């Protein structure tokens, strides 16, 4: 009967409508693949087969085939929207089952896993903490927590050091003053005395009438300096002398008249450096003295040829001669006037003269004004514990004119140090904890002068200077008998110790010919007195001592940043000196302005624990490439991370080489050690340049975005500028993708007809590439599907018409009578 045939047609048309309607419904579904209804005719077949005139029994639905042709790309702003450009399916897991999809609408769930819209987790190959992608399939998770900091363990630098740079270091000559007066303890008067004639005392009034009876005498000065000679004095009222001398003011006027004539005598006489002084002795007694104007000089003053009335002002008349007591200079450092010859690098010689008694500080300052000469001075004295007596705590010790309380040497130490920046500039004191001795020093080489005063007889201080010379003792003497016969009475005396000078001569400069040869500051200038010294040695505070510097930022284990400064210093090459080499540089490293070299254990404590200057030899070949054989490994192994106050900040500290530190730094690191790699650095004749810098550390970072490459590798970007590999998206391919079983939600499941999946990374084998920030659109052609609707509708109508016609025929047959 044709009814069954027609019904099969209606069923087929209905299936066709469903397939086409489903395609149309999913025309905007990402990753959707359109289906096609495939039909076959139906024939009744007996055991012996069908006849040649067999009539078909209708149609049946053979298959709903899917078309896996790629859809168009729609680009989005979401980096987790993914599309496969080429073959392959995303692999997802849901509820323990594995599905495959072309729909890449992915996002993050609350745990950071990449999931699609139905919470199926995207599968891939996760990476370890170092970014190494494993070969094991698993869920891909994005860690949204802070990225833990990583301590710097390696610094890679690609530089060019200018081959035309000059060598800044030179070799000069150094010597120290070693004359036999250097540092020798000098004892003597605290203050100068002046050459003086003391007249005999008298009282007022003076009976002489100067208006009628002049007074005359001669004053003579014999001295090594100043104005010498004889000046005649004539005292009359015409010269300004009061007629009578009845009081002290009139006596002072008389002295003024005398002084006027001594300074401007009658020619041909010339002025002399002598002054008349009126002295009030108290009790109605007075005196007229004649004093040399220049103090501390062993000069001689004489008054002679006095008229008879000179006895009234305390001077004997002629033929008697009044003779002075010679002046005495205050104690000084004992250095005589001494000269040396300085010859420059062109053979020109100048003579420098250090004046008598000049301090080492003054002489060093003058030497520094000479071209090619650098001088620094210092002075030191010692007060031994056994040489300090202060019986009742009443003694005052005066240091360079500043009186200080000194119950004991420790209190004297404290009082000196409190004034080292004010009234005792540059002077410091230190008590030796073992011996109790007090050392007083001047960092600039000023004389050190000590004097004492006390209420108690016998209080004393011993002062030692040069250890090869005897010291001096000051003692308070109230009874006229010194307890120590070798001591000096303290009331008028003090002790002075002069300083020494360290002198450096520039390359090509020399000194010679000390005159006198050894007595004083400069000792004999023999070859043994000089030593070679490196000049313009590297000093990070002096830009003239290094050719170039560069800086970079590194991180400690807590993520704190620190500044590494590298200094490059070209080294001298002398073909005659086998200890030098061509194309040789030194690189010095400091961190946060501090040295980071391993301690020098040969030094005494505490210096043997302190960081030293970190310097490394860098050599280049004659073609400008880095000489890897001679260039030493650059390991920073004594860096203690510190805070802004210069205190350790709690991050991992160093492991010195002596304690096992090496260039093989473990991962994760166990110390602050790191290496600097200069691989690829060159020495060409072009400007210094930093071509590339990279270091392995970073501070704490927050997730700021994701990048997914064509190969499916997922990079997480963090606010600290770092990126980290999280894993790689996996793709699956099938031998017969049309055999996949639709599972809904634009996903398919593996079945027997599809075959087992081939899972791998994008762009491997026949697998396509990943397009991030894009979605694959449905591959439904809407125009084609609408036409298919019309065809399916007509097929349905035609099959229905067949039923209608068959019904009419059947009715006709039934109506036959």
């Amino acid at each position: 009967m044709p009814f069954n045939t027609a019904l099969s047609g209606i069923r087929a048309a209905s299936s066709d409508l469903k397939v086409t309607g489903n395609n149309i419904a999913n025309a905007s579904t990402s990753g959707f693949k359109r289906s096609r209804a495939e039909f076959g005719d139906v024939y009744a077949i007996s055991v012996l087969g069908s006849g040649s005139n067999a009539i078909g029994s209708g149609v049946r639905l053979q298959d709903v085939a899917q078309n896996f042709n790629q859809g168009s790309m729609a680009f989005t702003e979401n980096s987790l929207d993914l599309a496969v450009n080429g073959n392959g399916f995303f692999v997802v897991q849901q509820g323990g089952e594995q599905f495959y999809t072309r729909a890449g609408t992915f996002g993050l769930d609350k745990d950071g896993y990449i999931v699609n819209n139905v919470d199926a987790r995207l599968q891939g190959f996760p990476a370890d903490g170092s970014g190494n992608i494993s070969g094991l399939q698993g869920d891909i998770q994005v860690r949204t927590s802070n990225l833990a900091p990583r301590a710097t363990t390696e610094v890679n630098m690609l530089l060019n050091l200018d081959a035309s740079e000059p060598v800044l270091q030179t070799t000069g000559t150094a010597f120290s003053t070693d004359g036999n007066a250097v540092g020798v303890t000098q004892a003597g008067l605290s203050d100068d005395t002046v050459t003086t004639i003391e007249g005999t005392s008298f009282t007022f009034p003076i009976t002489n009438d100067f208006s009628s009876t002049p007074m005359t005498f001669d004053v003579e000065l014999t001295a090594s300096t100043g104005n010498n000679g004889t000046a005649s004095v004539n005292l009359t009222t015409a010269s300004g002398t009061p007629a009578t001398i009845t009081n002290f003011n009139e006596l002072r006027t008389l002295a003024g008249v005398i002084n006027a004539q001594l300074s401007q005598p009658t020619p041909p006489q010339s002025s002399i450096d002598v002054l008349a002084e009126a002295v009030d002795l108290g009790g109605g007694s007075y005196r007229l003295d004649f004093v040399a104007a220049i103090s501390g000089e062993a000069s001689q003053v004489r008054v002679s040829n006095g008229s008879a009335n000179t006895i009234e002002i305390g001077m004997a008349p002629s033929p008697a001669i009044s003779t002075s007591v010679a002046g005495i200079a205050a104690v000084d450092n004992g250095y005589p006037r001494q000269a040396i010859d300085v010859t420059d690098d062109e053979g020109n010689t100048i003579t420098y003269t250090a004046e008598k008694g000049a301090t080492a500080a003054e002489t060093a300052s003058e030497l520094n004004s000479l071209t090619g000469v650098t001088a620094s001075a210092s002075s030191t004295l010692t007060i031994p514990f056994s040489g300090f007596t202060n019986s009742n705590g009443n003694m005052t010790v005066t240091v360079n004119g500043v009186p200080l309380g000194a119950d004991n040497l420790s209190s004297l130490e404290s009082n000196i140090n409190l004034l080292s920046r004010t009234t005792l500039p540059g002077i410091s004191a230190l008590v030796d904890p073992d011996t109790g001795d007090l050392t007083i020093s001047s960092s600039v080489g000023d004389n050190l002068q000590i004097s004492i005063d006390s209420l108690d007889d016998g209080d004393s201080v011993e002062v030692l200077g040069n250890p090869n010379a005897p010291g001096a003792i000051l003692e308070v003497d109230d009874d006229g008998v010194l307890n120590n016969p070798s001591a000096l009475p303290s009331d008028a005396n003090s002790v002075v110790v002069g300083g020494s000078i360290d002198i450096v001569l520039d390359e090509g400069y020399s000194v010679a010919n000390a005159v006198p040869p050894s007595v004083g500051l400069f000792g004999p200038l023999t070859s043994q007195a000089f030593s070679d010294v490196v000049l313009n040695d590297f000093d990070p505070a002096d830009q003239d001592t290094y050719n170039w510097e560069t800086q970079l930022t590194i991180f400690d284990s807590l993520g704190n940043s620190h500044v590494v400064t590298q200094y490059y210093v070209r080294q001298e090459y002398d073909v005659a000196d086998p200890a030098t080499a061509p194309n040789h540089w030194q690189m010095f490293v400091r961190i946060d302005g501090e040295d980071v070299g391993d301690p020098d254990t040969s030094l005494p404590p505490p210096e043997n624990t302190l960081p030293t200057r970190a310097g490394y030899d860098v050599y280049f070949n004659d073609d400008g490439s880095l000489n890897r054989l001679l260039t030493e490994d650059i390991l920073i192994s004594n860096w203690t991370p510190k805070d802004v106050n210069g205190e350790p900040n709690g991050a991992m500290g160093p492991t010195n080489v002596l304690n096992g530190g090496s260039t093989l730094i473990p991962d994760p690191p166990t110390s602050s050690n790191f290496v600097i790699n200069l691989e690829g650095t060159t020495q060409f004749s072009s400007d210094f340049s930093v071509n590339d810098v990279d270091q392995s550390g970073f501070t704490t970072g927050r997730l700021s975005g994701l990048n997914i490459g064509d190969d499916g590798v997922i990079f997480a970007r963090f606010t600290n500028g770092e990126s980290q590999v999280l894993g790689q998206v996996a793709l699956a391919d099938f031998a017969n993708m049309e055999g996949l079983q639709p599972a809904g939600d634009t996903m398919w499941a593996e079945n027997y007809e599809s075959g087992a999946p081939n899972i791998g990374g994008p762009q491997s084998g026949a697998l396509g590439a990943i397009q991030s920030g894009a979605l694959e659109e449905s591959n439904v052609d809407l125009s084609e599907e609408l036409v298919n609707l019309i065809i399916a509708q007509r097929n349905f109508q035609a099959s229905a018409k067949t039923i209608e016609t068959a019904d009419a025929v059947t009715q006709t047959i039934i109506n036959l009578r």
Side-chain angles (χ1 to χ4, degrees), residues 309-358:
N309 52 0
T310 57
I311 196 172
E312 295 191 35
I313 60 172
M315 290 180 291
S318 180
I321 299 175
S322 300
T323 304
S324 64
V325 176
I328 303 173
V331 62
D332 62 14
N333 56 21
Y335 298 164
R337 192 171 190 266
Q338 194 174 22
I340 56 171
D341 293 334
V342 179
T343 303
D344 63 20
D345 54 357
E346 295 181 354
N348 302 311
T349 299
I350 62 170
T351 299
Y352 166 74
T353 301
E355 295 301 328
K356 177 182 182 300

Side-chain angles (χ1 to χ4, degrees), residues 48 52 202 214 219 247 257 276 311 358 392 458 460 489 491 510 574 654 664 675 748 758 779:
L48 300 176
S52 59
F202 55 84
V219 179
N247 55 54
V257 173
I311 196 172
N392 297 310
S460 64
D491 57 346
S510 63
D574 182 356
L664 299 176
V675 296
W748 290 269
N758 298 316
N779 65 352

Side-chain angles (χ1 to χ4, degrees), residues 646-683:
E647 299 296 329
N649 65 7
M652 283 191 298
T655 300
N656 294 338
V657 173
L658 289 177
N659 296 325
S662 71
T663 55
L664 299 176
I665 298 176
D667 187 15
T670 57
S671 69
S672 64
N673 292 11
F674 65 92
V675 296
I676 298 177
N677 182 12
L678 298 179
E679 186 69 29
T681 292
T682 56
Q683 182 201 246

